Each structure stands twice: as structure tokens, then as C-alpha cells.
């Protein structure tokens, strides 16, 4: 059986996502860059750093704890929502794959909520191409499963891939 629903806390995704990213003043982001031996970051991450000013944000230990309390409550609410279902099928993005030249301002940050919601939960997920837009760009669906249910996610993704033809390189 298929049911169309939206998790009740999905509207909290972006705020929580950026609170977590900013909670350590970008320490972890910078540490990953250092470990990779580079100080060069993607245009997207540079834009986020400048827009969100997370290198400058300073929060107290109490505020830090509150961020993780919010995250825990978010995960609890999402787990309760998912309870009766085996798999969630979700959009990957609000539009077909964007062209390379589009700016982040044009994209709008709300596109993140389609994947960031499940990044925050840590649930297993896969993305499968299920069609092509009128512009010839790939359309995908995100398959999300419960913790430790990777096999169900992969089985559902395989079924979708077999049904819709899997990856097909766009005509560029």
C-alpha cells in the first residue's frame, strides 16, 4: 500500500541542519579539509560559509547542548512518523537536476530539505533515476529506510531501477 504523507517535522530541517553545522564554528569542516590536505572548498560550501557566517558564530555550552537536544527530538519525531512504514519514497530535489551554471541564490536553500532531512536521521537512503525532464535532465526518487534496513532500501532501489531503466547519461 502507498500513502502520500509528509513527516510533520520536515519544516524544521534547514534550521536544525545549519544549527548543527554552525555549532562548532566550522571546526569539523575545517578539520576535514586539513586532513584532506587542502584549503580549497567547493563553491557551495564557500557560499554557505559566507551566507551563514558560521566561522564567526560563537555559542555557549548550553546552546550547544540545546542544539543536540533539538536534534534528538527531531530524530524521535521522525522515528515515530516512520513507525508503520517499511520504505519512504521522497523527492530528491524540488526541480529536475539543475544546470551547472545556476547560482546558489537561484537554487534557494530549500532544495536541501529533500535530502538533509534524512541526513539528520542517519537513515539508509539511495537515489534512483526514474525519468527524464522535458529539458533532458534526470529525475530521481529517494528511497529511505529505517535504521539497519539497508537491504530493504537496496531492494526497493533495484526494483525502481529495473522498472525505470536505471542510469541514462543525459544528452549534453
Amino acid at each position: 500500500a502507498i500513502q502520500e504523507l509528509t513527516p510533520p517535522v520536515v519544516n524544521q530541517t534547514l534550521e536544525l541542519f545549519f544549527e548543527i553545522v554552525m555549532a562548532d564554528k566550522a571546526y569539523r569542516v575545517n578539520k576535514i579539509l586539513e586532513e584532506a590536505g587542502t584549503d580549497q572548498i567547493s563553491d557551495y560550501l564557500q557560499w554557505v560559509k559566507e551566507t551563514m557566517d558560521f566561522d564567526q558564530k560563537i555559542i555557549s555550552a548550553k546552546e550547544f547542548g540545546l542544539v543536540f537536544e533539538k536534534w534528538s527530538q527531531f530524530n524521535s519525531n521522525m522515528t515515530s512518523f516512520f513507525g508503520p512504514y517499511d520504505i519512504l519514497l521522497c523527492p530528491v530535489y524540488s526541480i529536475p537536476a539543475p544546470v551547472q551554471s545556476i547560482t546558489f541564490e537561484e537554487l534557494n536553500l530549500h532544495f536541501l530539505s529533500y535530502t538533509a532531512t534524512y541526513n539528520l536521521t542517519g537513515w539508509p537512503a539511495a537515489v534512483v533515476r526514474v525519468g527524464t525532464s522535458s529539458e533532458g535532465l534526470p529525475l530521481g526518487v529517494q528511497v529511505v529506510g529505517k535504521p539497519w534496513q539497508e537491504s530493504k532500501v537496496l531492494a526497493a532501489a533495484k526494483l525502481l531501477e529495473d522498472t525505470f531503466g536505471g542510469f541514462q547519461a543525459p544528452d549534453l
Side-chain angles (χ1 to χ4, degrees):
I2 296 175
Q3 219 174 346
E4 185 175 339
L5 298 167
T6 301
V9 295
V10 77
N11 63 340
Q12 298 171 18
T13 297
L14 290 178
E15 180 182 341
L16 180 57
F17 180 80
F18 285 111
E19 283 184 53
I20 291 167
V21 169
M22 294 186 298
D24 67 357
K25 291 181 58 182
Y27 169 79
R28 188 68 193 134
V29 171
N30 291 322
K31 183 77 172 156
I32 290 168
L33 292 171
E34 179 186 315
E35 289 171 357
T38 184
D39 59 1
Q40 297 198 2
I41 60 175
S42 69
D43 291 342
Y44 169 70
L45 187 53
Q46 184 62 44
W47 179 80
V48 169
K49 286 180 77 168
E50 291 167 3
T51 304
M52 300 300 164
D53 198 26
F54 67 63
D55 276 334
Q56 305 307 313
K57 185 157 175 81
I58 298 172
I59 64 174
S60 68
K62 180 180 178 181
E63 289 170 316
F64 190 79
L66 290 173
V67 167
F68 285 91
E69 189 175 306
K70 256 198 227 181
W71 190 9
S72 178
Q73 187 60 53
F74 178 90
N75 280 320
S76 178
N77 290 338
M78 288 293 292
T79 300
S80 293
F81 168 79
F82 202 166
Y85 307 105
D86 292 317
I87 291 288
L88 299 178
L89 297 178
C90 317
V92 176
Y93 205 65
S94 59
I95 60 173
V99 293
Q100 201 81 28
S101 61
I102 196 166
T103 67
F104 297 115
E105 290 82 3
E106 291 171 311
L107 277 177
N108 187 324
L109 277 178
H110 294 285
F111 76 89
L112 277 175
S113 65
Y114 291 94
T115 54
T117 298
Y118 306 102
N119 290 339
L120 288 174
T121 64
W123 295 343
V127 172
V128 179
R129 183 205 157 277
V130 294
T132 304
S133 73
S134 57
E135 300 85 14
L137 297 169
L139 298 171
V141 67
Q142 183 175 200
V143 181
V144 181
K146 292 178 181 174
W148 313 113
Q149 296 296 311
E150 288 84 353
S151 60
K152 288 183 181 180
V153 170
L154 293 172
K158 173 85 168 102
L159 176 65
L160 289 168
E161 190 171 66
D162 291 347
T163 302
F164 293 100
F167 174 78
Q168 296 172 17
D171 295 327
L172 298 176

